Amino acid sequence: MRRKWMAMLCAMWLGISSGQSVQAEGFSDLAGNSHEQAIEALVEQNIINGYEDGTFRPNNAVTRNTVVKLLGRWMQANGYAVPEDAAQVSRFEDVALTNDVELAQLAALVQEEGVFVGAEGFLNGANTMQRQHMAVVLVRAIDVMYGIDLVAQYKEAQFTSAIQDLALAGDKEKMEAIVALEHAQITTVETFQPTNTVTRAQFASFLHRAMDYVASQQLDEAGALTEVDLTGVTSITIQDRAVLYASQNMKHTVGLWRATARAVPFEVVNGAVVKVMIGNEAYYIKASDVTAASDVASEQQPHVGAVRTASYYRITDAPDGNIIVEGTRQTKLFVTGIEGAYYTVQLGGQQAYIAIAQTTLSSRMPLTVATDTPYLNTALKAVGQLAKGFTFTASGATSQYMKLASNDGVYHVSRQALVEGNGANSLVAPEKGQFVTKIVAQHDAAVMNNAGVKIGVIAKGQVYELLNMTDTMGIVQFAGGAAYVRLADFVHTNQVVPSQNISYDEMAHHMNVFAQLYPEFTELVAFGESTEGRTLYALRIGNGQKEILMDASIHAREHMTTNVLMEMVDAYSYAYVNGQSYGGYNVQALLNETSIWFVPMMNPDAVTLVQGGLAAAKDQAAILKLNENSRNVGRWKANIRGVDLNRNFDGGWNKKETAAKPLYKNFKGYSVFSEVESQHLRDFIASHSFKSYISWHSSGQIIYWAHDQTAAEAKRDKALAQRVANVTGYSLVPPQAGCCSGASTDWFIQTYSLPALTMEIAPYAGEGPVPLSRWADVWKRNDKVGLLAATEANSR
């Protein structure tokens, strides 16, 4: 129940009365208007004005924007100040902070004081004002500024309304407000027409009569205010039960001060009135109720945010302790922390307490976490934690929680851990990258903002979309904004989508993601650049000292082979991190003995051409020439310079047959290792001691394995090839006589005397890529080959 104390009112005459003649410059369209006197009186008080052309336009309907301004100016004339954050935070969704600065400021004032609250967060300022709404805001304004409850007055007097169309009012509050104006003789009509609009002139008269009424109700308390000399005083103490007023007009009592020993800073308004700050609100006290303090008020401590009190509240010196302030006006308090069911605040630099239950939060203000707190999903189960200092904008509220919209739903944060913030949101809106995948927290994972400051925790097992990444961090949408996580705190679910073409950019993204997810058993190496400057990537999976190498897409149109290796990376790393077997292999145990290096795209420039079409070429004229003027670049095998990379290695290159000049296929190059791609692969292999090498190609469902080995080597290598053939169902190509090849695997066999296989994964597809419809069969045949090869290498 709202508490009231006996009004202690002093005369502060506005200078306007119904019998006073006001001399003003007059408007060209007011002559003879029955509302002229009221309009001129308000002009004199700088509360109302006209248009630049010298007119007032009295018959125009008054807008809600105009009413807000008039009421706000009236409140300012009575000593009410615009909230200090009015320039940063709009109180209404449709009131911009910069279009009309005065409107934004006065809208904040009337909303904060509960005079004009809008409709579901919107002012709808361009709409006209209905008479019933006008009645409500006038009654509220009189109560707020002067402590005169017109509704209570007419009910106490048992007044019976004579207005005949009262039933047309929209609800009880509007009906009561109309009757209250009638009882106060602010309106005297028999039909009020509640839903009609109010003209500018009519509203001026209503406002003028309201001012006259409150002036007539003031008690003449001559001598009630006593001037006190507070020269040189820096802090004061306030006597017990001193009355607190809402503004310097000293008309509306809004509290009592109950702590006589607490030194507080103050400001002299005039010789008879002083102002003290309780939180963010100014309160006014008779100077005769204060004395100079023996102690100086302490410095204010840093605060974490603010809360708003309920309309009745108590501030105490300890939890459930002695009362310092007892108030009946919603007050914004600065909060220094939380202790149990209490916010800690400061008065006079000393700590004080207010029960959280006696406070409210505005969901229109940024909210700041005052103490580390869980955030909950829609089932109210904790799924992570927000760190102290984290600031966000709520998407809604319940009685116990503030809602927080994020990419995967709405979270709930306890009101008891929050305060109103005074800064920008901790996170900016996230931007989705091109390749969005799911990641799962493998333990409680810290979340940072872009400055590296911890802002929360994602609970173990929670699934998030990986929206993008930097060189060192993953980016997720957390608490409605873009947040940064260590990918090493997460595992993937099913990252690669191999049933569709995998571009170079997608391959590079996934390679980087896997490397960041699993630094404990992966290594990502950039071992060179392609002709057009694309990075050539190799990714190690496993911690074994023995190593094997697998590459793909050395021929551009055979880019389904990239899918094979990328899906192996996905499947094998998933099994490794989860301690699972795959295809009968204990992946973790195996790859702790033998590591697999994956090079999923050896020819990225030409793969990009094949996948993107001629439009993807940097030099379309050059491509057309190399492609014999055909626009069908889907048949392209060579690198972007027209050299077949799988004929450019030194395995009898000088005798290898070749096209006569650079072409989309079959030109071996003007010299061995003439191409940067083949050079980089050669050097990368030379920097390791690979036990075997498999290169993936696309057509024929066959396996090449022989190239002039010794008998012992051939027996060993054929055994490996046969095991792979048994798994895939592919045929082994018999050894062929001859010394000449530019293939990478033949060069490897010849140079290192170790096994190397060329895998042709699909039936012959002609001069073009393998259709994606073949994918399921290709993967079924090849999914275990990497683990088989690692097992074989581990035996040597």
Side-chain angles (χ1 to χ4, degrees), residues 276-313:
V276 297
M277 298 298 295
I278 299 176
N280 196 41
E281 304 290 344
Y283 283 79
Y284 298 85
I285 305 172
K286 291 180 181 179
S288 56
D289 288 341
V290 309
T291 57
S294 55
D295 299 323
V296 176
S298 304
E299 291 289 329
Q300 292 289 318
Q301 296 300 310
H303 59 271
V304 296
V307 294
R308 296 165 195 267
T309 68
S311 57
Y312 172 71
Y313 66 92

Side-chain angles (χ1 to χ4, degrees), residues 65 69 95-105:
N65 278 344
K69 286 186 176 181
V95 175
L97 295 173
T98 55
N99 290 353
D100 186 334
V101 174
E102 184 191 28
L103 175 63
Q105 292 181 342

